[in-house]
Amino acid sequence: MAEEWSDVSAALAHGEWTRALTLLDAATGPEGQVAVELRAQAAYGAGDLEGCVGAWERLYAMRLDCGDPVGAAAAAASAALFLLIDTGLMAPVRGWVARAGRALEDVHEPTGASAMMAAVLTYERFLSGDVDAAARHARVAVAVGSELGLSLPVAFGRLAQARLTILGGEVEQGLALLDEVGSTLMSGELEDLASGMLMCEVICAAQGVGDHERARDWTVVMDEWRGERGFGTIHGRCRLHKAELLRQSGPGSAAEAEALAACAELRPWMRREFGWPLTELGTIRLRRGDVSGAMEAFDAAEHHGWAPQPGAALLTLACGDPDAAAREIAAALAEPAHVPSKEQPPFGELRLAPLLEAQVEIAAVRGDTETAVAASRHLTGTARRFPSPGREAAVALTDARVELVTGHPDRARDRATHAAELFDRVEEAFQSSCARGVLGQALAQLGDEDGAARSWATASSGFARFGPSYWARSLTRPVALRSAPLTVPTRPALGGTFTATGGRRTVGFLGREVVVRDLTGHRALARLLEAPGTHIPAIDLVEAGPTQALCVDHGELTTRRGPDAGLPVLDERARAAYRRRLGEIEADIADADVRGDAVRSEQAHADREYLVTELARASGLGGRERTTGGSTERARTSVTRAIRYAIRTLAEHHPEAAAHLRARIRTGTYCWYEPDPAAPVDWVTRELRAGR
């Protein structure tokens, strides 16, 4: 039997995860502790997160039964670590750390298990926003790990200390600590998975503070490193960091290709945290001018319990509804989403900075000087406390927008020029083009038409690196993306057509018929038109339409449609694991309520909502849990945005039909089509399949 485990270990050492699992499955006799631990490692490498965590859970029980509390605690801490890395579910993490702690109640000397418990608790508390507890656990992880000569808990603790120092406003000192951790990663002291995860953390910390040069350098290092040693989520995470840099510098096609590939690679491992790559994909598509594609990606991220802001609000702006965009970004700022995320600052002012930048942009489009000025002042204060080249550039651009909207084109010209120079320096071509667009508007107001034309031409050339001239078309307009008002026809209509065949939508109205690409919003509209006056919950409209999967098929980037497309498929074992975690979450909620910990209770309720939704999808159940406000609000936002974009797109081909729908469709938590009593329309809305 020892020889069999030797073969498995050799397969693991060469990254042959499937072969290792095959060897384990072929072994005779009951599976012992050694085999279970090897299975946990092999399952993770093969993309079976549930199999990995389940193996650690079994090993915990086996060691506890054998009277090995230290070994049981180590297995429990490992289960917690893997749940922490990829699920974004903090309640189960806390549950497994608690099991490890109970196993060690009668063990009074420091152990590797206690060091790893401290490391896991450091990040559980960090991601939950408990700064003091995170710092306390980090000190324990470093102290115990150093005493026992264990590099992993020491590295986790020191990296957390670096991030906490940065978020505490001591940016220079925190970045120095970050570099120290980086040196450890390059020394080869850590195992490959830990090295890759911590490199990702270093990049996220640098990006969060706006130090794009440091993030770019580490992304290059990680990309070179992962080719030979990366496994599990490392390849996908590295691709996503490359996509983030390309989203800033272009070309947009390369950014989208990397983001799509990252989504395909990360899907087997990530659960709730899968919203991160989906949000990045949506942001890239929006910058490329693909509003429909951005909408699909953002909606998918929201369905994973992620908050795709500020991208979703900017998407609403791009759909021609600046007032709705303003409400959306204001809500995101008033109640920032408490999604545990290692990829963005989980708390503090830096978490709000991107939201404030978007709020200034939206307010400037609306001419809302009060909001623009207030958001700009808030952002300036953040930049003073957390200085970086990227943050300075962002503040210069928001200042330029504010000066323009408050009637100071000369000051707007100076700040926009400075912003463009700074963005060029940090290789953010898209934002540099935005700054030059504002510069053109300022020069035009100052009467320098030639200068304005040159600035707009340069901006247009920069936008071309990302995709179609979607953004360039709005350069010369003071209100960048507001749709021109359309007049509702006064001529009565007796009939209308709104049918779909093979991905195309036929729209007939007032004697004219057009064929357009069928969009998600069109399908929602069809549901409303076929039941005039009926109030339909927005959440039903979300569930009715197919979603788009983002995948790589035989090396080619493709899409696939279906009711569960793009979602991890849960087998019975995975569903059983989800149900066990629901039990852990219920216990966590009860404990939090007893302790009066409202933040922890809210977080655990969000975890429960996510798991209930995933189980409903995986089981093919008809309907999502309807008692929670989160799902309802996400459905309302998604459907409203999809319908408005569909109508705006239709206006390019059939303005009369679009005007009628804009006037008669009501959206919100409930949506309905309100017929015009003076000119009722009898809509034909049958859905046909291609070839029928």
Side-chain angles (χ1 to χ4, degrees):
M1 190 65 70
E3 184 177 342
E4 287 181 303
W5 303 153
S6 177
D7 291 342
V8 174
S9 297
L12 293 177
H14 290 88
E16 298 172 349
W17 317 110
T18 303
R19 178 170 175 267
L21 288 172
T22 301
L23 290 170
L24 287 165
D25 290 339
T28 57
E31 201 168 50
Q33 294 185 26
V34 174
V36 173
E37 185 166 1
L38 292 171
R39 183 175 292 279
Q41 299 170 33
Y44 187 79
D48 183 4
L49 176 64
E50 305 307 333
C52 168
V53 175
W56 287 118
E57 292 174 348
R58 286 170 53 204
L59 187 59
Y60 162 78
M62 294 169 74
R63 288 176 173 173
L64 210 57
D65 289 342
C66 292
D68 179 9
V70 175
S78 294
L81 178 63
F82 281 93
L83 286 168
L84 177 76
I85 287 174
D86 289 324
T87 70
L89 301 170
M90 294 298 105
V93 171
R94 288 191 287 267
W96 278 99
V97 171
R99 288 182 178 91
R102 287 195 294 272
L104 293 177
E105 282 179 350
D106 296 326
V107 178
H108 304 294
E109 66 274 6
T111 65
S114 58
M116 280 310 303
M117 281 174 53
V120 172
L121 280 172
T122 295
Y123 268 87
E124 184 275 321
R125 290 291 81 199
F126 174 68
L127 298 178
S128 299
D130 188 344
V131 176
D132 293 338
R136 184 172 64 253
H137 290 303
R139 288 192 295 270
V140 173
V142 172
V144 177
S146 298
E147 180 182 347
L148 298 177
L150 302 173
S151 300
L152 182 57
V154 172
F156 266 95
R158 285 181 174 160
L159 182 53
Q161 288 174 334
R163 296 198 70 173
L164 289 167
T165 301
I166 291 171
L167 293 174
E170 300 177 59
V171 176
E172 187 174 348
Q173 181 182 348
L175 291 175
L177 291 172
L178 206 63
D179 289 339
E180 288 181 17
V181 176
S183 299
T184 301
L185 298 179
M186 298 308 297
S187 69
E189 296 178 29
L190 300 178
E191 61 183 27
D192 290 343
L193 179 61
S195 293
M197 292 302 303
L198 292 174
M199 283 186 197
C200 179
E201 284 280 293
V202 170
I203 295 169
C204 293
Q207 286 183 330
V209 78
D211 190 342
H212 301 306
E213 183 177 359
R214 187 180 256 98
R216 184 172 287 106
D217 290 345
W218 271 104
T219 298
V220 172
V221 169
M222 187 177 181
D223 191 42
E224 293 175 350
W225 175 90
R226 62 138 179 156
E228 296 182 358
R229 300 170 61 187
F231 70 97
T233 62
I234 303 306
H235 284 281
R237 289 175 185 273
C238 185
R239 280 191 182 278
L240 201 53
H241 287 309
K242 288 177 66 177
E244 289 169 340
L245 294 179
L246 289 166
R247 182 240 302 162
Q248 298 165 1
S249 65
S253 57
E256 183 170 4
E258 290 288 358
L260 277 166
C263 286
E265 291 186 12
L266 292 171
R267 186 180 296 114
W269 285 275
M270 287 186 169
R271 296 297 177 261
R272 190 177 183 185
E273 206 179 22
F274 193 56
W276 170 40
L278 289 169
T279 296
E280 183 61 31
L281 176 63
T283 302
I284 290 168
R285 284 179 166 177
L286 181 58
R287 289 192 171 188
R288 297 198 72 202
D290 180 5
V291 175
S292 181
M295 188 179 301
E296 289 173 336
F298 286 145
D299 286 351
E302 286 186 314
H303 294 157
H304 276 270
W306 204 257
Q309 296 291 5
L314 293 174
L315 171 63
T316 301
L317 181 68
C319 289
D321 195 341
D323 293 339
R327 292 192 295 272
E328 201 171 331
I329 200 66
L333 279 162
E335 296 185 18
H338 295 292
V339 178
S341 168
K342 301 179 290 296
E343 285 67 47
Q344 55 194 13
F347 55 84
E349 295 177 39
L350 281 177
R351 180 174 64 157
L352 303 181
L355 301 176
L356 292 166
E357 292 172 33
Q359 187 173 48
V360 172
E361 181 176 352
I362 294 166
V365 169
R366 299 177 67 238
D368 181 357
T369 58
E370 182 179 354
T371 299
V373 169
S376 178
R377 285 176 178 167
H378 190 165
L379 191 64
T380 298
T382 299
R384 285 174 181 160
R385 190 176 179 203
F386 303 95
S388 71
R391 194 66 58 220
E392 182 184 356
V395 167
L397 177 55
T398 57
D399 284 349
R401 296 188 196 277
V402 169
E403 297 293 1
L404 195 64
V405 78
T406 54
H408 302 99
D410 52 339
R411 297 200 289 238
R413 173 199 59 205
D414 296 342
R415 294 300 285 158
T417 300
H418 185 51
E421 292 171 350
L422 291 173
F423 280 125
D424 286 342
R425 199 176 303 163
V426 296
E427 299 182 42
E428 288 205 38
F430 186 89
Q431 291 292 79
S432 175
S433 297
C434 290
R436 286 184 167 85
V438 175
L439 174 59
Q441 291 183 356
L443 292 172
Q445 288 189 21
L446 291 168
D448 184 356
E449 296 296 336
D450 291 340
R454 286 193 299 272
S455 184
W456 286 330
T458 303
S460 182
S461 177
F463 285 135
R465 289 177 55 82
F466 294 86
S469 57
Y470 175 84
W471 296 94
R473 286 199 302 269
S474 69
L475 285 171
T476 60
R477 282 187 275 166
V479 179
L481 299 171
R482 189 190 298 271
S483 298
L486 297 169
T487 304
V488 178
T490 56
R491 176 183 172 187
L494 298 177
T497 303
F498 207 80
T499 60
T501 307
R504 310 298 293 177
R505 174 76 54 179
T506 299
V507 181
F509 188 66
L510 292 179
R512 191 165 75 87
E513 192 171 84
V514 298
V515 178
V516 298
R517 182 164 65 95
D518 194 28
L519 301 173
T520 301
H522 288 141
R523 294 189 287 275
L525 284 168
R527 283 283 307 278
L528 301 178
L529 292 175
E530 71 186 10
T534 301
H535 289 51
I536 299 177
I539 200 165
D540 284 353
L541 296 176
V542 170
E543 292 165 355
T547 58
Q548 187 173 45
L550 315 163
C551 60
V552 179
D553 185 18
H554 302 296
E556 297 295 326
L557 298 176
T558 63
T559 59
R560 176 179 76 248
R561 290 191 177 274
D564 294 316
L567 298 172
V569 177
L570 302 181
D571 58 19
E572 185 53 43
R573 181 189 57 183
R575 286 195 288 271
Y578 272 38
R579 294 187 184 103
R580 288 199 306 275
R581 288 182 205 154
L582 278 173
E584 294 165 352
I585 290 170
E586 295 294 350
D588 193 63
I589 291 173
D591 186 62
D593 291 344
V594 168
R595 296 173 184 272
D597 190 337
V599 173
R600 177 177 155 196
S601 178
E602 179 185 355
Q603 185 186 75
H605 275 89
D607 288 353
R608 181 175 65 182
E609 179 187 346
Y610 170 77
L611 284 181
V612 167
T613 301
E614 289 296 286
L615 279 168
R617 287 176 178 146
S619 303
L621 301 177
R624 188 181 288 113
E625 186 182 47
R626 295 170 185 266
T627 59
T628 58
S631 292
T632 301
E633 176 59 21
R634 288 196 298 272
R636 183 196 66 76
T637 302
S638 298
V639 169
T640 299
R641 192 162 52 224
I643 287 175
R644 285 173 177 166
Y645 177 64
I647 293 174
R648 182 170 177 264
T649 302
L650 178 61
E652 299 174 4
H653 306 278
H654 201 317
E656 296 84 5
H660 174 80
L661 294 173
R662 185 178 289 110
R664 310 312 305 178
I665 293 292
R666 305 290 182 259
T667 59
T669 303
Y670 287 83
C671 304
W672 68 96
Y673 168 62
E674 185 176 283
D676 184 350
V681 180
D682 183 15
W683 289 99
V684 176
T685 60
R686 64 183 181 278
E687 305 288 316
L688 302 177
R689 295 180 180 177
R692 291 187 62 181

